[in-house]
Amino acid sequence: MFALMQSSRLESLHLSVDPITGLKAVIAIHCSRPGPALGGCRYLAYPDDESAVADAVRLAQGMSYKAALAGLPVGGGVAVIMRPAHVESRAALFEAFGRCIEQLDGRYITAIDSGTSVADMDCIAQQTRHVTSTTASGDPAPHAAMGVFAGIRATAMARLGSDNLESLRVAIQGLGNVGYALAEQLHAAGAELLVSDIDPGKVQLAMEQLGAHPIANDALLSTPCDILAPCGLGGVLNSHSVAQLRCSAVAGSAHNQLSNLQVADQLERRGILYAPDYVINSGGLIYVALKHRGEELPTITAHLSKIGARLTEVFAHAQAEKRSPARVADELAERLLYR
């Protein structure tokens, strides 16, 4: 565990249990030099404790990089709650987690993430003020989608020579809160949508409301398109899946899309432009960080508009250095964090 922490430069790792509610939680704080660590709370089933810890550590590092490149006065952290097979009271479980956060005395601020909801954040808020994405502060998903949309336009400009998305074929993997909001914005811009999701109801809704074309989950990655937008869980890009891709670029909202950095090099060799996930999907973090500081919506929207410019900067460095944008983004983030 210490080797994992050292390799990712993690500051601290906090493990909490509550036998009454069944809570088993991991809080990973990667870097608090710029300010308190801020990041989502995941509520997912994991095969074992080690997988939960590894997920938290990797996500926390990504949150630090995301905050640094977004120019936010916060560090990176993540919480992972291992979802038990049976829960007596979900509200009580999240209140217990709120007490765990309160014990950290402001070093970590939590937010909505995969498997959690605004209602869960409201329960946490009963025990600590170090939480955002509550009913009062609002759902960050539409703002995350807004940032990804701006990033897709920047990616299209860099790879295809135009940021006009009309008739562009965009394949969206995952129609959750961010994925569906992104699909709506792409549809309004005239893009042709190819969609997949494990929930057939969401696919049907996208067909009816957005004129999307349904694609089987196991066929989406190999379907010809201009831009692939992974918007589900991470790890979708590995050596096997990248070999199947038939797209010009990858630009989506999912966290930890790359199974490892070598996959980024494989994308580069194939001529597929990769928009680093923690750069393009930083809209949600920008919203919750600035909202938690009391900023008004115009200020937040202005900050969101910078995502495209940051991606363009990363792409320019990558092209000049003939390297993957993922490696360039990592180096830029580390310079900002440890200068």
Side-chain angles (χ1 to χ4, degrees):
M1 188 175 297
F2 285 110
L4 178 63
M5 292 176 66
Q6 289 174 332
S7 65
S8 64
R9 303 177 79 167
L10 194 78
E11 284 184 8
S12 61
L13 191 64
H14 306 269
L15 309 179
S16 300
V17 296
D18 182 65
I20 297 175
T21 61
L23 175 72
K24 291 177 67 177
V26 180
I27 299 176
I29 296 177
H30 179 262
C31 180
S32 59
R33 293 179 66 179
L38 192 156
C41 170
R42 290 196 160 192
Y43 183 58
L44 300 173
Y46 287 88
D48 49 55
D49 298 350
E50 292 75 16
S51 298
V53 170
D55 197 28
V57 171
R58 188 177 180 197
L59 286 165
Q61 183 180 35
M63 292 303 292
S64 283
Y65 287 5
K66 182 185 298 189
L69 288 177
L72 295 171
V74 295
V78 158
V80 163
I81 298 177
M82 300 180 68
R83 189 177 70 208
H86 173 72
V87 180
E88 189 77 22
S89 169
R90 180 168 176 139
L93 184 144
F94 277 93
E95 286 186 24
F97 179 63
R99 291 190 289 273
C100 297
I101 295 175
E102 182 64 17
Q103 291 173 359
L104 296 178
D105 197 27
R107 292 187 60 220
Y108 169 66
I109 302 166
T110 200
I112 197 171
D113 205 327
S114 299
T116 56
S117 66
V118 170
D120 297 326
M121 299 302 110
D122 288 344
C123 291
I124 293 171
Q126 297 296 315
Q127 304 296 328
T128 182
R129 62 186 176 86
H130 305 299
V131 57
T132 183
S133 308
T134 60
T135 299
S137 57
D139 186 352
H143 306 276
M146 189 185 307
V148 176
F149 178 78
I152 286 178
R153 289 188 60 187
T155 303
M157 175 61 79
R159 183 64 180 85
L160 304 172
S162 171
D163 64 357
N164 184 354
L165 305 184
E166 191 169 355
S167 300
L168 211 67
R169 287 168 61 88
V170 182
I172 302 177
Q173 183 191 50
L175 293 170
N177 291 340
V178 177
Y180 199 89
L182 173 64
E184 290 176 319
Q185 294 182 43
L186 289 168
H187 172 69
E192 179 184 353
L193 301 179
L194 314 173
V195 300
S196 72
D197 194 279
I198 57 174
D199 183 348
K202 292 179 179 178
V203 173
Q204 184 65 33
L205 193 63
M207 292 168 59
E208 294 173 358
Q209 294 188 343
L210 309 175
H213 305 288
I215 305 293
N217 288 321
D218 58 359
L220 188 77
L221 295 182
S222 59
T223 299
C225 62
D226 295 301
I227 294 178
L228 169 67
C231 296
L233 293 178
V236 66
L237 299 176
N238 54 50
S239 59
H240 175 71
S241 63
V242 167
Q244 300 180 58
L245 296 184
R246 301 172 67 187
C247 60
S248 298
V250 176
S253 67
H255 298 291
N256 290 343
Q257 294 170 27
L258 303 172
S259 60
N260 55 64
L261 264 180
Q262 286 68 42
V263 173
D265 300 329
Q266 184 181 356
L267 286 165
E268 183 72 8
R269 288 193 297 271
R270 288 208 57 203
I272 299 173
L273 183 62
Y274 175 66
D277 48 25
Y278 57 80
V279 181
I280 192 172
N281 69 14
S282 60
L285 178 63
I286 290 169
Y287 177 80
V288 298
L290 297 183
K291 190 73 174 178
H292 195 68
R293 284 167 55 91
E295 300 289 354
E296 297 296 330
L297 193 56
T299 300
I300 296 172
T301 302
H303 208 112
L304 284 170
S305 68
K306 299 176 183 177
I307 290 175
R310 177 62 87 177
L311 264 179
T312 299
E313 177 189 357
V314 170
F315 292 150
H317 279 290
Q319 183 177 24
E321 299 167 17
K322 293 183 170 49
R323 291 195 302 153
S324 164
R327 292 192 181 275
V328 169
D330 281 1
E331 289 185 9
L332 287 173
E334 288 183 0
R335 284 181 210 159
L336 291 168
L337 285 171
Y338 304 112
R339 59 188 173 188

